Structures are given as C-alpha cells and as structure tokens.
Amino acid sequence: MSPTVHAKKNPEKPAYIMASTGETVTYGQLEERSARCARLFRSLGLREGDSIAFCLENHPRFFEITWAAQRSGLYYTPISSRLTASEVEYIVGDCGAKVFLTSVAKADVARELVERMPGVRHRFLLGGELPGYESYEEAVRSQPADPLPEEREGQDMLYSSGTTGRPKGVKFPLSGKPFGSEEPPIVQLMKFLYGADENMVYLSPAPLYHAAPLRFCMTVHRIGGTCVVMERFDPAEALALVERYRVTHSQWVPTMFVRMLRLPEEIRKRYDLSSLRYAIHAAAPCPIPVKEQMIEWWGPILYEYYAGTEGNGFTAITSEEWLQHKGSVGKPLLGEVHILDDEGNELPPRQVGTIYFAGGAQFEYHNDPEKTRQSRNEKGWSTLGDMGYVDEDGYLYLTDRKAYMIISGGVNIYPQEIENVLILHPKVADVAVFGVPNEDLGEEVKAVVQPVDMAEAGEDLARELMDFCRKHLAKYKCPRSIDFEAELPRHPTGKLYKRLLRDRYWQGHETRIV
C-alpha cells in the first residue's frame, strides 16, 4: 500500500493535478521525485526517527516531500503558510527539525528565519534563490532515483489546538515497519466508509498542511486514485472542477458549503455534479440549515465525521442517518464514546459532559507530558476537551468548544496566544479573547479589553490594538472587533470567568457552535 506499487503498475496515471494550472504529476514522477528527495534526506545525515519541517502553500512539490519523509522513517511537520516568522520559528524549534524547507512564495518569512533556527542543519528554498537557503531543485537533481535500500514508514507530527498560548505537536510512535508493507487504518476506513478505490478522483479544496487534507490525499495515493488540489478555494471553481475531472470524492468544511450556497442560482445549476458520490465534511460542525440545503442540492451524499489530529476516536454519520438525528456527528467507529461529568462519572443520554474515547490510538503531546497526562483519565480514556452528549440511539452531539478554542472557517485559533500579545500593549490592563458567531466562518475572533484608562476606550484604541496584533500574529488570528469593559469578571484568585463575557454574544443559539 504505497505510491511505489502504483508507479510500477500504472506509471502514467495522474497521482495529483494542480487545479489552477493543470500541472499533473504522475505516479511514475511522484515515485522518482520522492525517492530522490529521500536520498537527499539520507545524504544530509537524517536517520529513522529524525524530524523535518516545511512551510509551503499548496505547492506542486508538496507531496514529493511528504512521501520522501514517509518512506524514510522520518517525522515530518507541515506548517501553515499563513504564519508569521515567530510562529514558524516556535514550531520548527519545538519539533526538533534538522531540515527546513519553504518556497519563494514565503520569501519574506524565510528571510527572517535564517538566523532563528539554531537546530536546523540545512535550509532549502523551492522555486528561487535566497541567501541562507540551498536550492531544493538542484539538491534533489543531484541524487539518484533508486529507492533507499531499507525503507521504513515515517509519520506526520502535526501541531494541534491547545489550551495554552502555543500549539503542541501530536506525536505517534513510529511503527518501524517496512514502507508499504501493510494497510494503514485510514486506508481501511476510507474503503469501508467512502468506497475508496483506485478509480476515485478526490477534490481537495483546503490547505494541505491541515490534518485531513494531508492524510486523505496521501491515503488516495496509497490506494491509487487521483487527487485534484486547489491552490485556494473558490466556490464556483470548485464546482467547475467536479465537472471537469469527474470528481467522485471530495472533502469540505462548512464555510465552503455556505459560500457555494450563496452563489447565484444560474452558477449553481451550470455544472454537472453527477459524478460526485461522496462529499465528506468535518473540521467544524455544520449548521443544520446549511446541511439541509446541501443535501437538498447534492442529494444524500454528505458524509460527516468527528475526529481530532490525535486519532483517539472517530465518529461518522451518513446523510440518511443525519436526517433522522439532525445535528449529530455520528456513532463511534474507532473508540468507544463516554460522556463524563466533572467528577468523572458517566452521564446518561442527553446530559452534557466532556467527551472521552476508550480504545483509540495512543498519542502524546510532544514536549508536554503534563498536557498528555491531562488528556487521560484514571481508566486511560482520552479526551480532546470537547463537550457534548449522546442520544438514546448512541449518536454523538457536540455542544461546546475545547477550552474556548475558536474554529473559524475550519481553522483552529488559540485564544491564549492572542491574549498573550494584547496584554503586552501598554494601554491594556486585562483582556479576554473568544469566538463569537459569524454566519460565513462559523466563528470569528472577538477581544474584550479592559483598558488602563477607560476614557480612551473607543474606535481609535480598537484600531490601534488591532494594528498591534497584526504586527505579531497571522492576520486570520487577529480580532475582527474589540469591545471594552471597565473591568473583566475575575475571581479574587485571578480566574477569568470568560463564559460570562462570551455568553452575551451567543444568546439565541442552542449550542455554543454556530
């Protein structure tokens, strides 16, 4: 189960197609390029268990790098191309990367990083030249194209949501097994749930550095299908791609559904979507009216799942099931669901508590044993911190976010990270950041600030604080709006009652999820 098998069987078949340019990479090309890249990593002294990191947009050479690491027994960490230099610096250092790769599209950030990655031995730039970086293309061109003599399975290490100001790497143990020697669980899952086979054409409209797009696309390559990769999402173009490539499978976040539903009717009806058999969605809960409209438009081909990067559990639901259990994210297929109260007692149906899974994958948070410990209870069950309940039929419903995590357009945003920036401003005495309803994105970032001088509260100070945020954080993390309070609700111990602030903005919503 690897692209190598399909390269031998059908070398001219497209492994993936870049949507905007039509650039096609065949299985034969993917095999040769990833083998050369694997040779490069080995020539640089990387051995099984070492780490690389890369910060790339949806780049045509993205997958040759991931497959090179996967077949070399390495840990590999894709980093959001939207992050600032400081944010990239933290992840590169935390994951222990010995090699860092980026592209000319990220030249501004790459330039800042040259002197800020002391653990990195080699830096490579794709598609151009930059002082402090070697040419990736020249480096791989010099390597032989034959595979390494002993190939072992590697593993992604992705950075996931955290309750502190910094994301943490989700680390799984390496299997130590020969590359391609067995069928990974995600392959079995996609075959069982979504009828995945070598004839599938999979549309991936999201950034590849996210867990689902990365893992699903690489699973398609193990199975032998073709991926169509959008460099950036456009609702009308997504529909056109389904028609052009006769797409059979796709994966979305609810924000994309909203944008497609808002297209003029003549555009929505323009394209032939009859080839589409599975429209998979996750990453953020889908508003009930949106999903109802999508099922009415596309038919009962929507398949939702709930899971985390941690792989500790997985629930799934079909359109038919969902119409009978609207709002549910399904029944567990991996791990057993348990709903517990604050004392760890199991709750009956329809009572809200913390969601735990028993029997899922074993994981740890890299460099954070305390966070790892807090994710388990005394029985060994693990939680992502999400709140919810099950109904009498065993279907799971989500009701609240993990530790006030904001999910905006399917992207995780850590409130503490933003609070840590704003509190440094000399005019800020206290601050609380949380998500508030946004019709398009699900949630948007809201900051409530207690100014040093309440007389300065107003539009000018709000603009000043938002500009301050933009200097230190990626744009998508910055508050969309700032409100002011004379005093934030804190307990004498210092605990901030953020829920008292947040609940004001969620009045009229049955759950804390749009």
Side-chain angles (χ1 to χ4, degrees), residues 160-195:
S160 183
S161 6
T163 57
T164 62
R166 296 285 197 178
K168 292 297 178 183
V170 178
K171 192 171 188 177
F172 300 95
L174 294 175
S175 71
K177 294 180 179 178
F179 176 59
S181 62
E182 68 174 13
E183 198 170 80
I186 189 172
V187 173
Q188 300 169 22
L189 200 68
M190 282 189 66
K191 287 182 175 180
F192 172 70
L193 281 181
Y194 311 128

Side-chain angles (χ1 to χ4, degrees), residues 6-63:
H6 307 295
K8 293 176 180 177
K9 179 181 175 182
N10 196 354
E12 297 305 314
K13 181 175 183 176
Y16 58 95
I17 302 166
M18 304 305 296
S20 67
T21 63
E23 179 178 350
T24 299
V25 176
T26 67
Y27 274 98
Q29 291 170 326
L30 178 59
E31 168 66 13
E32 177 187 339
R33 294 175 185 180
S34 64
R36 289 185 188 274
C37 186
R39 286 281 187 179
L40 173 63
F41 292 151
R42 186 60 51 88
S43 75
L44 300 175
L46 272 64
R47 296 296 181 264
E48 190 172 346
D50 285 340
S51 296
I52 68 164
F54 47 97
C55 181
L56 296 171
E57 70 278 19
N58 282 8
H59 194 283
R61 307 196 78 152
F62 191 101
F63 287 121

Side-chain angles (χ1 to χ4, degrees), residues 263-270:
L263 289 170
E265 188 172 0
E266 62 270 19
I267 294 179
R268 287 174 51 187
K269 291 183 175 181
R270 179 181 302 167

